[in-house]
Amino acid sequence: MRQPRFLRSNTFHSAFLVAAVFAIFVIVLFGFIYWKTDDYLTARSDGVITAQLNAIAGLSPERQLEAIEERLRADFRGVQVAAIFGADGRRINGNIESLPARLEIDAPAQSSDVVRIDRSGREYQPVRAVAKRMKNGDLLVIGRNVDEAKEIAVVVGQALALGLLPGFCLCLLAGAWLSVRAQRRVEEVNQRVQRIIAGDLRERLPDRRADEPFSKLAVIVNGMLDEMETMIHALAGVGNDIAHDLRTPLTRARLKLERGRANATTLEQLQVVADKAIAGIDQSLTIVTALLRLAEIENSRRSTGFGTVALHTMLREVCDIYEPIAENKSITLHVEATQPLTVRGDRDLLIEAVANLVDNAIKFTPEGGRVDIELLRGDGETIVRVADTGCGISEPERDAVLRRFYRSDKIRNAPGVGLGLNLVAAIVKLHDFRLTIFSGPGCQVEIVCPGPAEK
C-alpha cells in the first residue's frame, strides 16, 4: 500500500521528530516530578513516625500501651501500624502480627512488609517503619502505609496519558498540514517555473506579501527574473536594431555594386563604385560597433570596478586629442579646469562620454566657431560642461536627440549615425550622474555629478 505523499515529506518527518522529542521531554519531566514528590512524602512520613516513636518511648510502660491504643483508634484511614513486642518477640499489643524479619532495630525509618491483624483477617502491607528497643527490653514498632506514593504515581500516569497523547497527535496533525501546504506551494512554483522555461518571461513566483521565508525568497527570485527579462529584451532590442539599421546601408551598397557591374565601362568607374560600396560597409560596421557598445554599457556591472577619476586631467587629455581636429576646422577649443576635482567612476567610459560631446560640438560648429570645455563646482555638484557656438538644439528636440539613430533635419547631411548622445546617456546613467541638455542657439550639454567634492 502506497503511503500518502505528505508522510514521505521532510516537513512531516521533522514534525514527527519534534513531537517525539517533546514527548520524551514531557515523560522525563513527569518522572522527575513523581520522583521528587515521592521522596518528599517519604521523608515527611519518616519524620512523623520517628517523632511518634520517640514520644511513645518516653512514656511509662502502662502509658505506652494506652498511647498505642489511642493512636490506632484515631486512625480512620487505616494507614497507621504500631505494636509493642516483648524481649522474646511476643506481641504485647498493637496491630502488627509479628516483628518484621528484616526490620533493623534502633535504625532510621525504612521500608518493610508487615502483617496487619486489626482488619478482617491477616493483611500484608508495605510500610515505612521504625523500631526501637526500650529500657525494659521491649521493642516498640511504629509504621505508616506508603500507598500515597502509589496513588500519586497513578495520578501522574493518568495526567501524562491524557495530556501527552492529544499533544503528540496534535503535533503530527500540524506536521501533516504543513507538509501538504508546502507541497501545494512547491507544485504551484513548479508550474510557474515551467511556464517561464517555456518562454513566458512575464510569469513570476507567487508572492503573498507575508513576512515568511518563502515569500521573501519569492521576492528575491522575482527581482532576479525582472533583471533577466530586462536584459533579454535589451539583447533582443540590440539584435533588432542591428538588423533594421544595417539593412539600409547594405542595400545601398549592394545597389551601387550592382549598377557599377552593369553600367561601368572603365576601371576608374568601377573603382568609384567600389569606394562608395566600401563607405557603405564602413558605415554598417560603425553602427554595429556603436550598438554593441551601447548594449555592453547598458547591461554592464562595471560599477564594482569604479575608482577615483581626476576630472581636470581627464578633460585636458580630451582637449589634447581633439585640438588638431578643431584647428583643421578653424575652431577654437578651450578647456577651463582649474579646480582639481575627482569623482568615482570608470575613467575609460567617462573619457568616451566627454569625447563624444566634444566630437559632436566640433562636428556641428561652423568654421571660426568656438567650443568650451569647463569643470565647475556648484550646489553640491561637480559639473562637466561642453558648449559650442553651433546651431544648437531646439526645445522639442531635447528628448528626441537621446533616441537611437535620431538625426535632426539641420544636421542630416553631416556624417554620423545618431548614436553618440545615446551612448553618452548610457554612460551617465551607469554612473548615477545626470545629463542636461540646454536648448537654444549654441549647444550646451552638462554631465552633473552629485555628491561632495573629492580632491
Side-chain angles (χ1 to χ4, degrees), residues 164-405:
L164 182 60
L165 186 60
F168 186 77
C169 294
L170 186 62
C171 288
L172 293 183
L173 289 175
W177 177 74
L178 290 174
S179 176
V180 172
R181 180 170 174 264
Q183 286 177 359
R184 287 177 178 174
R185 298 195 68 176
V186 169
E187 184 64 28
E188 183 181 4
V189 169
N190 182 50
Q191 292 176 359
R192 298 200 182 201
V193 169
Q194 292 302 323
R195 287 197 286 271
I196 294 172
I197 294 174
D200 186 0
L201 298 179
R202 291 174 298 179
E203 186 60 87
R204 295 293 181 270
L205 300 187
D207 175 18
R208 300 181 179 176
R209 309 292 181 187
D211 187 15
E212 58 174 349
F214 203 93
S215 292
K216 292 180 179 177
L217 178 62
V219 170
I220 294 173
V221 174
N222 287 339
M224 181 187 68
L225 291 174
D226 289 341
E227 290 293 327
M228 292 179 63
E229 183 183 6
T230 302
M231 293 177 62
I232 291 173
H233 285 315
L235 291 175
V238 170
N240 292 336
D241 289 342
I242 291 175
H244 180 269
D245 291 286
L246 284 184
R247 186 169 58 183
T248 300
L250 289 177
T251 301
R252 191 181 302 129
R254 183 183 183 281
L255 287 174
K256 288 178 179 176
L257 289 172
E258 193 175 67
R259 289 174 183 173
R261 185 185 63 179
N263 302 326
T265 56
T266 64
L267 181 59
E268 289 74 13
Q269 289 176 339
L270 278 176
Q271 287 178 341
V272 171
V273 171
D275 290 341
K276 291 181 178 177
I278 291 173
I281 294 172
D282 288 342
Q283 184 184 9
S284 301
L285 291 175
T286 302
I287 293 174
V288 171
T289 304
L291 288 174
L292 292 177
R293 183 66 173 149
L294 270 171
E296 179 190 1
I297 293 171
E298 289 176 346
N299 299 301
S300 176
R301 294 295 180 268
R302 294 177 62 169
S303 58
T304 54
F306 279 8
T308 301
V309 180
L311 292 176
H312 53 291
T313 58
M314 186 190 79
L315 295 184
R316 291 195 185 98
E317 288 181 23
V318 174
C319 182
D320 292 341
I321 293 171
Y322 281 90
E323 201 164 27
I325 301 174
E327 288 178 358
N328 289 337
K329 287 189 67 176
S330 300
I331 294 173
T332 302
L333 179 61
H334 175 72
V335 60
E336 183 71 26
T338 56
Q339 300 184 68
L341 300 176
T342 61
V343 294
R344 283 196 60 77
D346 187 307
R347 190 175 188 277
D348 294 339
L349 290 179
L350 291 176
I351 286 180
E352 189 171 353
V354 176
N356 264 285
L357 295 179
V358 175
D359 185 77
N360 281 345
I362 295 175
K363 190 184 302 177
F364 302 124
T365 298
E367 291 185 3
R370 180 184 178 88
V371 174
D372 290 303
I373 308 172
E374 297 177 85
L375 179 61
L376 311 171
R377 180 71 190 167
D379 296 333
E381 297 174 329
T382 301
I383 302 171
V384 175
R385 176 183 297 162
V386 178
D388 60 59
T389 56
C391 57
I393 297 174
S394 63
E395 181 64 27
E397 290 185 311
R398 285 180 56 193
D399 294 331
V401 294
L402 296 177
R403 295 203 302 263
R404 291 182 180 180
F405 305 111

Side-chain angles (χ1 to χ4, degrees), residues 85 132 142 162 164 186 253 330 372 428 434:
F85 297 92
K132 183 175 183 178
I142 300 294
L162 294 177
L164 182 60
V186 169
S330 300
D372 290 303
V428 170
R434 190 172 69 250

Side-chain angles (χ1 to χ4, degrees), residues 139-160:
L139 192 64
L140 175 60
V141 178
I142 300 294
R144 180 182 175 84
N145 194 325
V146 293
D147 284 345
E148 289 177 335
K150 294 182 179 178
E151 293 173 357
I152 291 174
V154 172
V155 172
V156 169
Q158 291 175 346
L160 186 63

